[in-house]
């Protein structure tokens, strides 16, 4: 198969992106780009703070500068991190991954989830952190494991007076008479007389967290100790470590004078089987029991514990064991007479009469939902690659049930929990493909954040569950179609008109408009006709009018006068004979009330034209409103608060008429039904499901999926269902691999989610004569816009709505050309699909001049297409008409059916005007009778392609007919200079 260079046809646009990096940063600070981050292994691990309402880039830079750090990073809109070095093998990623606006300045970008905008002060960084080889007689033993089976390798924890350093920790352990000292997790210090409880050496790179008190030193890592051995012979006798009351003074629990209902519960063993509290608070060098209770009570916790730091919760976990009160013998740092726990001991207080103590967590292997089964403890992050690709952070509600249910709902057959708070989804095939292997069950030892009696993996360990059976059935039929190299809005003259950028085109000789005669493709100069527009149609919207001339109307544009543009073209001529009409436009006489870039258009049931949404110009302010054409007397722009609220993720909103006469609108991740007269919201529908790990994923530009309605069948008693496929996320761009559908007017309407065979953003969908939908074009990484997507999706997929849910997709042959930004797909009169465009401005992908024709499976069966004759082509509602000389070449005429495909304009994955109807149909001999739909709600007035199909689904060539007339009398509009209305 080959593709033939024909002509440069592409609609271009700049992706809306209002958040930017300021050009004038404080001092010598400069941007280093967007970096990956991980909650378990921070890219910048020094000082940090959060500001949920006021975070700006400048605020973060000043904070890190004041704390003498070289690097600063902002994340997720309101978090600031500092360091002198990039830690934990973090790497740069696409700039578009960082796209969450700063909480304190929505025009600045402050990273995203697990993404940091990193900045450099220009100062010379200190020497990189290193493992301190020795401190006096203390000698490094390297990095050791900790927390094996929930047990401490060094069992005596100490509360340091100053921020943690190796020197501070070893000095404290020496003063208490202990031979071994270890630093962990940047700010913890432990002592003991021996290395115990299964602690063993691990790679030195495991100890990779810098000390809280000295960024040039390493102080262990998660469950890792930088271990030191005292080699001298002058250790003092063992005594209570420093930082608490210690010494020989008696200490006591506080049993009176506590606030409210708080009371002393008991002394508990900490870490007998794991930490018994779930929420640790920042260290306080002056801690008292009263201060501990105040901290926990202030966060609405009912249980408080104190050891070397304050811990809070509403229960005790990990098999908490009561200890003798005498073993909680360490004085509080802020009051040496109060007992503040002891080595591996916690003084516990509660405001409740009873304290719940949960057992040691185990693997959940029973009472699993659906067909899930436990698969074992698996390694993760082998060679830096996640075993399962979709990550959810469930800090409060992670469990086997929550994680597996979420994965199954989005069509994934493998689910894994990690580090207590993370849930990962993917396919069973991902496990082996990404290098995961079974690990000892004891490696998975962290309780679930939402189910503390069960285990949810550990660091780089997955508690893995797999689905027994098939969640998705993706068909791969033998007859999967071919691509014919050939040459995208189809006119009633069966010629294809193209609109291109005018004035901003990459080609100096572009006139902005062309028409292609498909019957003359063997003769290049005869096939293409140059047309003209006056203003730039860059990112405008088009529909076909129901007037007698089947005019194409184009509204909006790129900037300035273009955004107000109204352009009209009346197709004329027939295949093989040159057309003569051109686009008509006169902005002085006729224009939109509001400038619009990225608007959508829809023909309403009353025959008028709805224009909705967009922006005031290229990357400008939102235009959250609608207006009507022709403009009714006394009317104007109708503001739409839901578009203003969801800007900038709602451009090219999805529109369709519902059988009630109301209007469905889908935008970003929301949908609603509007009254067709007042345009008030009649019903707000449930939010549109997004990605498995991000409910904020969206479906309209620039996150760009596509939408078309399901077919409607006579007698039209079933509610209309709409289908939306693909999209992406506004954070780090994760392209969506699912379709969702809903019957908007069904009581308690809910979305049905079906997983697609692959991820797809900037998809195109085409309704086909047999009632199926072709999904093609787009990318598997990124979002819509110049240079913002990669990894083209060449695969064509067929969606069959009559199949059971979960079995509707068929994987077909690939197309030839990468179709990224600005691609189109258009149904041709012979049932083939014209595939065109791609203007990505992405390195390696050109301004695409080639056009393809895709042959769907129904034309690849070796069956001659049915034939028929039709004489009348203009009908009202509920009217019968006949087609004659009907011939089929497979099966009998008694088994044929007819379909009506509405005239459609394709741009940016939005098939404006798309609709499919299977009307009442019967045959007698070679004459068949068709009854048009009953009203303008089921079938808005307009032009349709009529196909007949044999019993194998082979379609005929189409004929154009009009149903419903011209109720808005558009044929007489506009009666203004520069326009030629076709009449009624």
């Amino acid at each position: 198969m080959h593709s033939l260079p024909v002509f440069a046809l592409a609609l271009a646009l700049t992706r809306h992106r209002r958040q930017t990096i300021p050009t004038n940063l404080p001092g010598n600070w400069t941007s280093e780009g967007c970096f990956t981050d991980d909650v378990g292994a921070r890219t910048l691990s020094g000082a940090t703070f959060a500001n949920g309402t006021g975070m700006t880039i400048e605020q973060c830079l000043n904070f890190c500068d004041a704390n003498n750090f070289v690097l600063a990073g902002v994340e997720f809109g309101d978090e600031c991190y500092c360091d002198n070095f990039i830690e934990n093998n973090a790497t740069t990623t696409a700039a578009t991954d960082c796209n969450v606006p700063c909480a304190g300045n929505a025009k600045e970008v402050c990273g995203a989830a697990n993404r940091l905008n990193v900045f450099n002060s220009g100062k010379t960084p200190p020497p990189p952190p290193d493992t301190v080889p020795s401190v006096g007689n203390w000698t490094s033993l390297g990095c050791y494991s900790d927390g094996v089976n929930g047990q401490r390798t060094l069992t005596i924890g100490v509360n340091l007076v100053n921020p943690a350093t190796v020197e501070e920790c070893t000095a404290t352990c020496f003063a208490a008479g202990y031979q071994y000292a270890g630093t962990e997790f940047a700010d913890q210090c432990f002592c003991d007389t021996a290395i115990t409880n299964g602690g063993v050496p691990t790679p030195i790179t495991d100890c990779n967290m810098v000390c809280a008190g000295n960024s040039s030193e390493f102080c262990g890592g998660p469950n890792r100790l930088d271990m030191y051995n005292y080699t001298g012979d002058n250790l003092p006798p063992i005594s209570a470590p420093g930082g608490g009351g210690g010494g020989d003074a008696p200490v006591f629990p506080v049993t009176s004078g506590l606030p409210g209902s708080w009371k002393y519960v008991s002394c508990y063993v900490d870490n007998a089987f794991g930490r018994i509290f779930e929420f640790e608070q920042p260290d306080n060098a002056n801690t008292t029991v009263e201060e501990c209770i105040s901290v926990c009570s202030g966060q609405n916790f009912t249980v408080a514990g104190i050891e070397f730091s304050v811990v809070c919760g509403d229960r005790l976990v990990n098999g908490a064991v009561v200890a003798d009160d005498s073993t909680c013998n360490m004085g509080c740092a802020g009051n040496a007479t109060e007992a503040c726990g002891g080595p591996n001991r916690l003084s516990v207080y509660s405001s409740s009469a009873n304290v719940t103590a949960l057992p040691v967590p185990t693997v959940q292997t029973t009472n699993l939902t659906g067909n899930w089964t436990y698969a074992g403890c698996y390694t993760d992050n082998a060679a830096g690659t996640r075993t399962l690709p979709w990550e959810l952070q469930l800090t409060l509600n992670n469990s086997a049930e929550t994680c597996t249910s979420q994965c199954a709902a989005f069509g994934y057959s493998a689910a894994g929990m990690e580090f207590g708070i993370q849930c990962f989804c993917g396919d069973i095939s991902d496990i082996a493909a990404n290098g995961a292997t079974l690990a000892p069950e004891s490696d998975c030892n962290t309780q679930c954040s939402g189910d503390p009696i069960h285990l949810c993996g550990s660091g780089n360990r997955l508690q893995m569950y797999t689905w027994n059976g098939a969640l998705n059935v993706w068909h791969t039929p033998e007859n999967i179609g071919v691509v014919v190299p050939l040459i995208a809005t189809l006119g009633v003259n069966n010629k294809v008109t193209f609109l291109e950028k005018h004035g901003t085109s990459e080609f100096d000789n572009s006139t902005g408009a062309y028409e292609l005669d498909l019957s003359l493709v063997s003769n290049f100069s005869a096939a293409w006709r140059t047309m003209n527009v006056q203003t730039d149609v860059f990112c405008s919207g088009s529909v076909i009018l129901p007037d007698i001339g089947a005019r194409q109307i184009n509204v909006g544009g790129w900037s300035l006068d273009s955004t107000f543009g109204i352009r009209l073209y009346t197709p004329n001529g027939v295949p093989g004979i040159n057309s003569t009409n051109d686009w008509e436009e006169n902005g002085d006489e006729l224009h939109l009330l509001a400038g619009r870039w990225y608007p959508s258009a829809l023909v309403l049931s009353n025959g008028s034209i709805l224009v909705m949404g967009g922006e005031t110009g290229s990357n400008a302010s939102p235009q959250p409103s609608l207006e009507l054409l022709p403009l009714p007397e006394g009317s104007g722009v109708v503001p739409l608060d839901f578009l203003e609220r969801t800007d900038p993720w709602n451009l090219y909103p999805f529109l369709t008429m519902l059988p009630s006469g109301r209007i469905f609108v889908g935008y970003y991740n929301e949908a609603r039904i509007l009254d067709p007269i007042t345009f008030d919201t009649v019903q707000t529908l449930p939010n549109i499901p997004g990605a498995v790990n991000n409910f904020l994923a969206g479906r309209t530009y620039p996150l760009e999926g596509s939408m078309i309605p399901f077919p409607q069948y006579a007698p039209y008693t079933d509610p209309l269902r709409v289908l939306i496929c693909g999209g992406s996320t506004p954070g780090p761009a994760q392209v969506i691999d699912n379709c969702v559908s809903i019957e908007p007017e069904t009581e308690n309407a809910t979305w049905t989610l079906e997983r697609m065979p692959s991820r797809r953003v900037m998809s195109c969908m085409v309704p086909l004569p047999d009632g199926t939908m072709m999904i093609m074009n787009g990318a598997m990484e990124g979002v819509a816009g110049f240079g913002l997507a990669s990894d083209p999706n060449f695969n064509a997929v067929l969606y069959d709505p009559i199949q059971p849910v979960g079995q509707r997709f068929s994987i077909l042959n690939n197309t030839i050309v990468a179709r990224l930004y600005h691609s189109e797909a258009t149904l041709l009169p012979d049932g083939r699909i014209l595939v065109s465009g791609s203007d990505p401005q992405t390195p390696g992908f050109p301004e695409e001049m080639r056009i393809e024709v895709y042959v769907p499976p129904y034309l690849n069966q070796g069956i001659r297409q049915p034939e028929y004759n039709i004489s009348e082509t203009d009908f009202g509602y509920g009217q019968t008409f006949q087609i004659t000389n009907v011939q089929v070449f497979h099966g009998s005429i008694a088994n044929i059916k007819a379909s009506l495909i509405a005239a459609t304009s394709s741009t940016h994955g939005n098939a404006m005007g798309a609709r499919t109807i299977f009307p009442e149909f019967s045959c007698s001999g070679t004459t068949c009778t068709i009854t048009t739909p009953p009203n303008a709600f089921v079938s808005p007035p307009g032009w349709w392609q009529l196909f007949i199909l044999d019993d194998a689904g082979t379609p005929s060539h189409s004929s154009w007919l009009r149903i419903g007339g011209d109720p808005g009398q558009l044929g007489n509009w506009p009666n203004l200079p520069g326009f030629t209305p076709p009449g009624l």
Side-chain angles (χ1 to χ4, degrees), residues 253 733 864:
R864 181 176 168 181

Side-chain angles (χ1 to χ4, degrees), residues 86-267:
I86 300 295
E87 309 284 358
N88 293 309
N89 301 313
T91 59
T92 56
T93 185
T96 52
D97 281 8
C98 289
N99 54 22
V100 173
C102 299
N105 185 346
K107 293 185 178 181
E108 294 182 355
V109 61
C110 277
N114 290 331
R115 292 295 186 272
L116 276 164
N117 280 111
V118 175
F119 301 87
N120 192 320
S121 69
K123 297 177 182 177
T124 302
D130 200 359
T131 301
V132 176
S134 62
V135 179
N137 289 330
W138 290 93
T139 302
S140 171
L141 298 180
C143 188
Y144 270 69
S145 61
D146 191 25
V148 178
N149 295 321
Q151 303 294 304
R152 288 289 188 195
T153 299
L154 302 180
T155 61
I156 310 300
V158 298
N159 189 20
L160 301 176
V161 174
N162 299 307
T165 64
V166 173
E167 293 79 4
E168 180 81 8
C169 181
T170 52
T172 301
C173 292
F174 175 85
Y178 290 101
Q179 179 181 349
Y180 292 93
T183 56
E184 182 169 336
F185 211 70
D187 62 358
Q188 299 173 354
C189 176
F190 297 89
C191 313
D192 213 329
T193 58
I195 296 173
T196 63
N197 295 321
V200 295
T202 67
I204 194 67
T205 53
D206 284 4
C207 288
N208 55 16
M209 297 185 72
V210 298
C211 298
N214 187 341
S215 61
S216 69
E217 300 176 354
F218 283 123
C219 277
N223 286 327
R224 291 296 185 268
L225 285 158
D226 266 307
M227 185 74 75
Y228 292 84
N229 175 35
Y230 190 75
T231 59
D233 56 5
N234 59 336
L235 279 171
I238 292 177
S239 62
D248 298 322
V251 296
F252 304 95
V254 178
T255 57
S256 62
L258 297 175
S261 60
W262 284 89
K263 62 181 182 302
Y264 176 66
V265 177
S266 185
C267 179

